[in-house]
Amino acid sequence: MIEFGKVGYIRSGDDAGKYVKIQELPDSPPSYLILMAHDQDFRNGYGDYWVEDRKSLDDFFVEGSWVVEWGSDRESEP
């Protein structure tokens, strides 16, 4: 499940070892900003992506084969 506004750790897939945060933008319907970084505090940026709707967001995760652990779901720091 994709969680919004929480930091997630990409355990496997493209970009494994990076951190991700999804921001829902106030469009109607909402679009999404996908922020990525090398560290969980997002001080060392890696990149960002924009997708136009929820289906595109879901497709983005599938295409990257991402397995993400969100917030307190993370078992331990890498």
Side-chain angles (χ1 to χ4, degrees), residues 19-52:
Y19 292 86
V20 62
K21 185 174 185 180
I22 310 301
Q23 293 180 342
E24 185 176 74
L25 301 176
D27 303 327
S28 182
S31 62
Y32 301 91
L33 186 61
I34 304 162
L35 304 170
M36 296 173 59
H38 292 283
D39 64 304
Q40 65 185 358
D41 296 322
F42 284 75
R43 287 182 289 214
N44 187 6
Y46 177 68
D48 59 58
Y49 300 91
W50 173 86
V51 294
E52 64 182 326

